[in-house]
Amino acid sequence: MGGLKTIYRCQQCGYVSPKWLGRCPECRSWQSLVEEVTHKASGRLEPHGQAARPLPLAEIPMESEARFTTGIGEWDRVLGGGLVSGSLILLAGDPGIGKSTLLLQALALMSQKKKVLYVSGEESPQQLKLRAARLRIESGGLLIFSETSLEAVLDVIDHSHPQILAVDSIQTMHTMGLEVAPGSISQVRECALRLMRAAKDGNISIFLVGHVTKEGSIAGPRALEHLVDTVLYLEGDRTHTFRLLRAVKNRYGSTNEVGVFEMKEAGLEEVPNPSQFLLAERPTGVSGSVVVCSMEGTRPLLVELQALVGATGWTQPRRTSMGIDTNRVSLLLAVLEKKLGFNFGQQDVFVNVAGGVRLQEPAADLALTTALMSSYLDRPLPQELAVWGEVGLAGEVRGVGHGAARAMEAAKLGFTRCLMPGSNAERLSPDAGVVYMGARSLQDVLRMLFDGT
Ligand SMILES: Nc1ncnc2c1ncn2[C@@H]1O[C@H](COP(=O)(O)OP(=O)(O)O)[C@@H](O)[C@H]1O
Ligand SMILES: [Mg+2]
């Protein structure tokens, strides 16, 4: 018996089958199984240098992890207050969203105090030099290595002992031990595992850049998310300049943190007041436009939401939405029809969130509903109105979290009227300059904003 074995692995979920299948029985994706040749495991533990043994909790020494800050406030905040040495961080996002740009900026700053190695499997040293020049990066100490072979990278780590390492991207790396293409799930996982070992053994902080595939997951599966200490997503719409850096997993900090950046010619710039930035181009006195106060982690964000309702020229009216779930739009249209007698049967409905922001909270429901009402009735909403709240199927307006933080942000930006769930309004202490309108149902909303039309 040789030591080689052929298996078939799903590139989406990692399911392993001894024979090829047209469809993965686990995640049901088609044509996702790829042949792999692996070495059979010996079934015995590799001898460890040091005998590892379990320790009673009380005997484990207390060590507070040392954190290293970059000076990019938004970046440090998302990492939980700085970079922890020996941690493995995945920076994920759509291709072209700005991962390499952000990383190069952060690494350059860190290289002023630490030894930093940037491994690029995508760009040549000349290309990186050009980018650095465009980003006006001056720190010359940053080490650059263009390589896609994991063995070569590990070799360089052994020789140059960096304290911080970045691999851009993990999908371009390959190890000789596996006879499958770079970017396939087993290559990505194997390379990440070996880099993790290097991080823990050498106490190196490692950033892995991961491109998100069409399905929205990293390298097919979410395989890497379980492995790493921290997962950061850089989000945004490529046609807009607004970017959110979000921690979706963090073993060293809160996952409620978001960093806000603007993409500029000279790289990603921190946005100190995101609400103001997002509202800069808001039109005045038009129907269908409303400002929603949405929470991104622990940060309130004021965003403009627009709806356009108009007579359709098609037999089947269109429902299009950008930045908000289309199912949510359909659901709220149904509620408006059933509870308030609106009729969208012959109306096209378009919804858009300004700035390329994606609203994922149910707290955007009430704003979406008021925007739809406003456009349907062709009645503009007051300019100084901010809205938040969840809407149920019975047309009831339900309370949402962080009421006080939302109200404070709205007041800070000069909004003098806030439409919110009744239960939220009850709990707010009165503010002299702001009118809190607590609604319990969509009928209340119609009465408060459109005189019960
Ligand atoms: N010469 C340039 N001038 C201005 N912006 C550029 C230039 N080259 C690239 N960009 C911007 O940088 C983005 C690419 O960012 P990058 O960090 O390479 O993305 P990622 O690493 O996530 O794929 C492009 O989408 C573009 O907006
Ligand atoms: Mg890149």
Side-chain angles (χ1 to χ4, degrees):
M1 292 281 281
L4 292 179
K5 183 182 166 200
T6 301
I7 56 162
Y8 296 85
R9 192 188 296 272
C10 171
Q11 299 298 298
Q12 294 300 327
C13 69
Y15 176 84
V16 173
S17 160
K19 60 181 198 308
W20 190 82
L21 301 168
R23 187 179 197 185
C24 172
E26 185 77 23
C27 68
R28 317 205 66 73
S29 47
W30 292 97
Q31 307 280 357
S32 63
L33 269 71
V34 168
E35 182 179 358
E36 262 179 38
V37 182
T38 58
H39 294 271
K40 276 186 183 157
S42 67
R44 301 190 62 168
L45 268 182
E46 303 270 326
H48 263 276
Q50 207 181 10
R53 63 180 180 92
L55 279 180
L57 186 59
E59 280 177 30
I60 299 173
M62 181 77 115
E63 281 175 26
S64 66
E65 69 273 353
R67 286 185 187 267
F68 176 66
T69 52
T70 53
I72 305 179
E74 301 286 301
W75 170 264
D76 293 335
R77 172 217 292 269
V78 176
L79 283 175
L83 180 62
V84 175
S85 57
S87 62
L88 191 63
I89 298 145
L90 178 67
L91 174 61
D94 291 336
I97 203 74
K99 300 180 295 298
S100 304
T101 306
L102 182 62
L103 199 57
L104 189 60
Q105 288 178 290
L107 292 177
L109 277 174
M110 293 191 272
S111 72
Q112 292 170 354
K113 296 206 180 97
K114 302 249 177 188
K115 188 158 187 184
V116 185
L117 172 64
Y118 181 17
V119 176
S120 179
E122 300 189 342
E123 281 135 328
S124 68
Q126 280 72 29
Q127 283 172 312
L128 287 168
K129 178 84 185 170
L130 276 176
R131 171 174 286 160
R134 177 165 57 86
L135 304 178
R136 297 193 198 98
I137 287 170
E138 277 153 19
S139 49
L142 176 64
L143 294 170
I144 303 287
F145 189 44
S146 280
E147 183 55 67
T148 56
S149 154
L150 181 77
E151 282 73 20
V153 173
L154 293 174
D155 204 43
V156 167
I157 295 175
D158 281 345
H159 286 106
S160 57
H161 303 291
Q163 293 162 297
I164 297 168
L165 171 79
V167 176
D168 186 0
S169 66
I170 189 69
Q171 275 110 338
T172 57
M173 290 291 135
H174 64 89
T175 167
M176 290 187 295
L178 283 175
E179 290 164 33
V180 282
S184 64
I185 169 172
S186 4
Q187 280 285 6
V188 164
R189 206 166 42 186
E190 180 67 17
C191 291
L193 265 171
R194 291 179 62 186
L195 284 165
M196 178 173 74
R197 235 168 282 150
K200 304 299 171 196
D201 289 350
N203 205 24
I204 311 169
S205 307
I206 301 190
F207 290 98
L208 303 177
V209 172
H211 292 298
V212 170
T213 58
K214 276 193 280 320
E215 289 77 22
S217 51
I218 304 162
R222 312 206 85 126
L224 290 184
E225 296 200 358
H226 309 296
L227 207 79
V228 299
D229 298 311
T230 305
V231 179
L232 307 180
Y233 269 91
L234 187 60
E235 295 176 355
D237 183 321
R238 276 182 64 177
T239 53
H240 291 88
T241 58
F242 190 74
R243 299 283 182 275
L244 276 183
L245 182 67
R246 196 192 293 276
V248 296
K249 166 181 174 179
N250 197 349
R251 288 191 182 135
Y252 299 108
S254 156
T255 49
N256 280 328
E257 295 299 349
V258 288
V260 184
F261 296 93
E262 187 188 358
M263 184 62 133
K264 290 195 166 171
E265 168 75 20
L268 285 151
E269 205 169 272
E270 295 177 68
V271 178
N273 192 340
S275 296
Q276 197 172 30
F277 174 85
L278 286 169
L279 295 178
E281 289 173 318
R282 188 158 70 106
T284 50
V286 296
S287 62
S289 158
V290 67
V291 171
V292 52
C293 192
S294 169
M295 296 300 293
E296 290 297 339
T298 52
R299 291 175 98 170
L301 206 62
L302 290 162
V303 193
E304 186 199 350
L305 194 130
Q306 295 184 326
L308 182 67
V309 179
T312 185
W314 309 79
T315 42
Q316 178 119 30
R318 290 201 286 173
R319 307 281 183 252
T320 306
S321 72
M322 309 262 283
I324 202 159
D325 182 17
T326 311
N327 292 325
R328 208 70 205 168
V329 177
S330 304
L331 186 149
L332 292 173
L333 288 173
V335 174
L336 281 171
E337 291 196 326
K338 180 91 181 169
K339 296 295 163 187
L340 296 184
F342 284 39
N343 186 355
F344 294 100
Q346 300 302 313
Q347 310 279 327
D348 286 332
V349 175
F350 304 95
V351 176
N352 184 38
V353 183
V357 176
R358 251 180 288 165
L359 294 176
Q360 285 158 341
E361 265 197 311
D365 287 356
L366 190 57
L368 178 54
T369 318
T370 48
L372 289 168
M373 287 176 173
S374 162
S375 183
Y376 181 90
L377 301 169
D378 201 18
R379 301 259 306 266
L381 291 160
Q383 195 72 4
E384 67 287 352
L385 176 78
V387 181
W388 61 90
E390 185 177 342
V391 175
L393 287 181
E396 81 278 21
V397 178
R398 295 165 169 258
V400 293
H402 305 281
R406 293 178 210 260
M408 229 153 74
E409 180 75 0
K412 200 172 92 190
L413 278 124
F415 287 85
T416 52
R417 285 211 248 174
C418 297
L419 177 70
M420 65 184 84
S423 58
N424 282 58
E426 277 165 15
R427 271 182 263 145
L428 288 176
S429 40
D431 183 320
V434 186
V435 181
Y436 297 141
M437 298 185 281
R440 307 222 167 256
S441 66
L442 292 186
Q443 281 84 0
D444 285 354
V445 176
L446 196 61
R447 187 167 38 75
M448 288 168 169
L449 295 178
F450 306 100
D451 322 312
T453 312

